[in-house]
């Protein structure tokens, strides 16, 4: 017979509380925004005291970090699932881009937490968030690398060569190596990544105003432009 002190029981209880904490935290994030996230308010909605949650998170910043890592992991899983089964690099990119937008529309508060304005007073710990945070752009880098044509150096357009030279001059080999990309490819990846995020942000944060009432068509054009930048 299992007792409340049994290690398996304790582990399940802890996992349940951690899951509830994240679920309520995500709800508060959606309702009030990251800057207003309060561990006291989360504890109250869980029917617990703030001190009872200190064994799971030390403070509001710890909860924010957990929500950030969860969001990056969820986004990374969605991107991986979308490109799985596509073998042609351009099709993989299109699936990647569409999955990025779809995930964002379904999770606007999480997207704002990851790619919106910084939360006042919060500094994400790099040792906790770096792996998860670089996962989406690493996935895009892998797609670009697989579609790289066997060009000789210097055959890209002048502006692209200039961007690549700037990256090569400012980035250390350790920074470039994890992507496994040549500087020219890295320049294209960063340009396309920012193109996608800029378009998505303008849509999700309603910055397009009366410019268009056909966001799907605008997005299709953005993805086509991104594919051209990545693969020529």
């Amino acid at each position: 017979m299992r007792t409340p002190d049994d290690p398996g029981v304790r582990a399940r209880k802890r996992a349940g509380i951690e899951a509830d904490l994240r679920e309520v935290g995500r709800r508060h994030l959606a309702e009030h925004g990251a800057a207003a996230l309060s561990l006291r308010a989360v504890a109250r909605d869980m029917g617990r005291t703030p001190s009872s949650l200190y064994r799971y998170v030390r403070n509001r910043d710890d909860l924010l970090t957990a929500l950030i890592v969860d969001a990056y992991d969820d986004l990374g899983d969605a991107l991986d699932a979308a490109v799985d089964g596509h073998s042609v690099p351009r099709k993989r990119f299109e699936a990647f881009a569409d999955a990025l937008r779809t995930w964002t529309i379904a999770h606007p508060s999480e997207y704002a937490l990851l790619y919106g304005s910084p939360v006042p007073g919060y500094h994400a710990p790099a040792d906790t968030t770096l792996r998860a945070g670089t996962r989406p752009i690493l996935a895009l880098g892998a797609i670009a690398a697989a579609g790289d044509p066997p060009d000789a150096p210097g055959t890209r357009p002048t502006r692209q060569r200039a961007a690549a030279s700037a990256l090569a001059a400012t980035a250390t080999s350790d920074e470039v190596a994890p992507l496994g990309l040549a500087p020219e490819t890295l320049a294209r990846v960063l340009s396309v990544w920012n193109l996608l995020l800029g378009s998505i942000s303008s849509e999700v944060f309603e910055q397009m105003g009366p410019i268009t009432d056909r966001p799907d068509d605008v997005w299709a054009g953005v993805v086509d432009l991104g594919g051209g930048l990545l693969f020529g």
Side-chain angles (χ1 to χ4, degrees):
M1 177 179 178
R2 293 186 179 272
T3 68
D5 292 329
D6 183 276
V9 173
R10 291 200 304 271
R12 286 194 296 272
K13 180 180 179 181
R14 182 180 182 89
I17 294 174
E18 289 177 342
D20 289 344
L21 177 60
R22 283 167 162 78
E23 180 181 350
V24 176
R26 283 191 292 270
R27 188 170 73 241
H28 278 239
L29 186 68
E31 293 174 355
H32 308 296
L37 187 67
S38 163
L39 188 59
R40 182 176 297 276
V42 169
R44 183 178 62 245
D45 277 10
M46 293 176 65
R48 306 179 69 90
T49 63
S51 60
S52 71
L53 296 179
Y54 290 158
R55 71 185 66 180
Y56 307 99
V57 290
R58 293 173 296 178
N59 47 39
R60 188 248 3 208
D61 285 5
D62 267 8
L63 178 56
L64 269 176
T65 298
L67 295 177
I68 288 170
V69 172
D70 284 353
Y72 273 130
D73 284 342
D74 190 53
L75 171 59
D77 289 345
L79 297 174
D80 288 348
V83 303
D84 187 37
H86 293 280
S87 58
V88 178
R90 183 143 187 164
K91 291 297 183 183
R92 288 176 66 85
F93 165 70
E94 292 169 358
F96 172 96
D98 287 343
L100 178 61
R101 178 174 179 247
T102 298
W103 183 90
T104 299
I105 291 172
H107 305 87
S109 57
E110 285 90 343
Y111 178 84
L113 179 62
L114 301 183
Y115 301 114
S117 299
V119 180
Y122 172 76
H123 301 282
D127 59 340
T128 304
T129 59
L130 184 60
R131 181 203 60 80
T134 56
R135 184 176 167 190
I137 197 167
L138 285 171
L140 180 59
I143 292 170
D148 257 357
D151 290 350
T155 61
R156 294 285 181 180
T158 302
R159 287 183 180 179
Q160 188 170 304
R161 293 201 306 272
S165 297
L167 281 169
T170 58
T172 67
S173 59
D174 288 342
E175 289 170 334
V176 176
L179 287 172
L181 304 176
E184 283 192 6
T185 305
L186 181 59
R188 287 181 281 127
V189 168
L190 293 179
S191 297
V192 171
W193 176 248
N194 285 312
L195 172 69
L196 297 179
L197 289 190
S199 180
I200 288 172
S201 293
S202 66
E203 178 180 355
V204 172
F205 300 146
E206 299 181 348
Q207 297 169 335
M208 299 176 79
I211 294 174
T212 181
D213 59 356
R214 299 167 60 184
D216 290 348
D217 292 340
V218 172
W219 177 250
V222 168
V223 174
D224 186 62
L225 175 59
L229 290 171
L230 274 185
F231 306 114

